[in-house]
Amino acid sequence: MIHSISILGSTGSIGTQTLEVARKLNLTVTALSAYSSIDLLEEQIREFHPAAAVVFDADKAEDLKIKIADTDTKVLSGMDGLLEICHDNSDLVVNSVVGMVGLAPTLEAISTKKNIAFANKETLVAGGELVMNAVRKNGVQLLPVDSEHSAIFQCLQAAPPDKKLKKILLTASGGPFFGKTVDELKTVTVEQALNHPNWDMGAKITIDSATMMNKGLEIIEAAWLFDTDPDDIEVVVHRESIIHSMVEFTDHSILAQLGVPDMRIPIQYAITYPERVPSLVPEIDWKTMSKMTFYSADDVTFKCLAACKHAMKKGGLYPAVANGANEVANQLFRQYKLSFLDIGELVSAAVDELKVGTAACLDDVLEADRMAREFVYQNYKQ
Ligand code: MN3
């Protein structure tokens, strides 16, 4: 069992729930970090007394220094700060940064040979080959925090060493717009898209859920984490979010992982793996659960899903293009500058039209990401 953790991205949804788990398990927290939310970060510092705290925004880091001058916590800033805390003396790095900005810290943390509880799916999508090569070279484990990938990982604990997997059944809630037609989606608002039926998450991922880009990213994430052909990953829409994913073996026997939709289960399992300990999460109440439903995913209406599969098949830096285009389109939608359907159009167009090669190094990934962002800025209708 590990005793101490550092958290990259401690003020977001996964970060704050990780601290709830840390409090319950009595873990030492060695480092915390935020993009710019210094009020919440200050509260966290005063409770957990980390040796270091990073604020990505340099001006806000200066503000935090003044606020916590009476504590022993050292304040760092920017990418250098994030890279520096990867080298502290924690037993495990929790990476819950949102977006591509987490890629360099992910590679840095892997180089320190510490295991990583991994919630930063965008970096595995964009830099999958680099990240997985570094994981193998350094002999570390990427312990998935994403609920579906934790479920698959948990199911695979019962698999034979050569896995004998036939396929992965990746469950999706379908988001707030499941069953809607293209016509109905033309006029949906940011507020409607932010209203997720089952999961309470940050704004970026909630929009990704509504477009099903999140599931597309998760197909790519699963392909890398479990060394699986994307054609052997089937998305199953399961509205109740009780089954968090399944694996099917060659004999057509299927294992599933179930629980209430609460991220503190996968977060805690990544921390305590391979042990299990009591958690803050309630049991499933079988008396009130009358049914579980399953549907196939509609990747014609939800173009992001098809674009991600297409990007993974094209290989090389195309997943980085899909991710980069989406990061910008998602943000422009939240700023009321794009319609909901434009997100899928732009992600698909970026994957179809940009020409990129393979990822030899971090700079290649960053360049493909930059090209994709530029493509969206230039092609959206203002
Ligand atoms: Mn997920």
Side-chain angles (χ1 to χ4, degrees):
M1 225 346 241
I2 62 138
H3 301 287
S4 61
I5 59 172
S6 53
I7 308 176
L8 310 180
S10 63
T11 56
S13 173
I14 300 293
T16 51
Q17 293 179 84
T18 301
L19 286 171
E20 287 176 36
V21 173
R23 190 185 294 126
K24 160 88 178 159
L25 301 182
N26 252 321
L27 299 175
T28 299
V29 178
T30 60
L32 295 169
S33 86
Y35 190 83
S36 61
S37 312
I38 56 172
D39 292 340
L40 179 53
L41 188 58
E42 178 185 359
E43 268 177 49
Q44 295 177 343
I45 290 166
R46 294 195 182 280
E47 179 180 354
F48 291 96
H49 313 290
V54 180
V55 186
F56 199 80
D57 181 304
D59 292 338
K60 295 274 186 182
E62 290 305 314
D63 294 345
L64 182 68
K65 266 183 204 166
I66 296 163
K67 283 159 84 74
I68 63 156
D70 61 316
T71 71
D72 295 328
T73 299
K74 179 166 84 166
V75 178
L76 305 164
S77 73
M79 185 56 81
D80 288 347
L82 281 180
L83 299 180
E84 185 175 333
I85 58 170
C86 293
H87 291 270
D88 75 4
N89 58 3
S90 67
D91 298 327
L92 177 82
V93 178
V94 179
N95 182 351
S96 48
V97 168
V98 177
M100 257 290 286
V101 65
L103 180 56
T106 298
L107 292 170
E108 191 79 5
I110 293 168
S111 77
T112 68
K113 303 196 191 297
K114 280 191 272 196
N115 286 344
I116 301 171
F118 193 75
N120 179 211
K121 71 184 74 170
E122 293 91 346
T123 76
L124 197 53
V125 168
E129 195 171 353
L130 291 180
V131 171
M132 295 315 290
N133 284 342
V135 161
R136 276 186 288 271
K137 189 177 139 211
N138 290 282
V140 304
Q141 236 175 336
L142 274 188
L143 298 153
V145 168
D146 206 346
S147 60
E148 295 82 357
H149 304 75
S150 174
I152 296 160
F153 181 65
Q154 292 182 57
C155 293
L156 288 176
Q157 301 307 310
D162 59 351
K163 289 199 215 140
K164 302 276 187 199
L165 265 195
K166 177 154 190 205
K167 60 180 157 182
I168 286 172
L169 298 158
L170 188 70
T171 57
S173 71
F177 303 141
F178 172 71
K180 290 215 184 299
T181 62
V182 169
D183 252 6
E184 290 167 327
L185 289 174
K186 276 181 185 156
T187 53
V188 298
T189 63
V190 175
E191 289 68 28
Q192 288 168 325
L194 283 173
N195 186 21
H196 195 278
N198 302 343
W199 295 97
D200 181 11
M201 307 174 289
K204 195 262 178 184
I205 184 173
T206 305
I207 300 300
D208 283 347
S209 253
T211 60
M212 292 204 77
M213 181 71 190
N214 183 52
K215 212 46 57 181
L217 295 173
E218 289 182 355
I219 291 174
I220 300 172
E221 185 186 8
W224 284 118
L225 276 174
F226 307 111
D227 192 18
T228 302
D229 190 308
D231 284 338
D232 297 332
I233 301 172
E234 183 178 339
V235 176
V236 178
V237 176
H238 165 49
R239 296 294 283 156
E240 296 79 13
S241 297
I242 295 297
I243 294 176
H244 300 307
S245 278
M246 303 175 262
V247 299
E248 181 170 336
F249 296 101
T250 43
D251 58 359
H252 296 177
S253 176
I254 296 172
L255 293 184
Q257 186 263 339
L258 288 73
V260 296
D262 188 317
M263 289 308 294
R264 292 173 300 180
I265 289 180
I267 290 167
Q268 177 168 306
Y269 188 67
I271 291 173
T272 64
Y273 169 81
E275 301 295 326
R276 289 186 187 273
V277 299
S279 82
L280 294 160
V281 178
E283 290 177 56
I284 289 177
D285 181 357
W286 296 98
K287 291 187 289 297
T288 61
M289 199 176 64
S290 55
K291 62 175 181 181
M292 286 199 272
T293 57
F294 304 94
Y295 306 88
S296 54
D298 176 1
D299 66 3
V300 178
T301 304
F302 295 91
K303 283 193 158 192
C304 288
L305 193 52
C308 285
K309 281 189 220 164
H310 184 46
M312 193 62 182
K313 284 201 173 174
K314 285 180 95 167
L317 287 160
Y318 285 97
V321 166
N323 179 69
N326 177 63
E327 285 198 27
V328 174
N330 178 312
Q331 190 182 33
L332 290 172
F333 173 66
R334 280 182 280 143
Q335 294 168 344
Y336 305 94
K337 291 175 181 168
L338 278 188
S339 76
F340 182 78
L341 290 173
D342 286 342
I343 303 174
E345 295 292 340
L346 286 163
V347 173
S348 305
V351 172
D352 286 342
E353 292 173 33
L354 287 175
K355 298 270 175 285
V356 292
T358 54
C361 63
L362 178 59
D363 282 344
D364 295 339
V365 180
L366 298 178
E367 175 58 14
D369 177 68
R370 191 200 60 73
M371 286 168 63
R373 287 167 192 264
E374 176 79 18
F375 179 89
V376 173
Y377 281 123
Q378 298 207 332
N379 287 279
Y380 87 93
K381 305 169 205 78
Q382 283 168 325

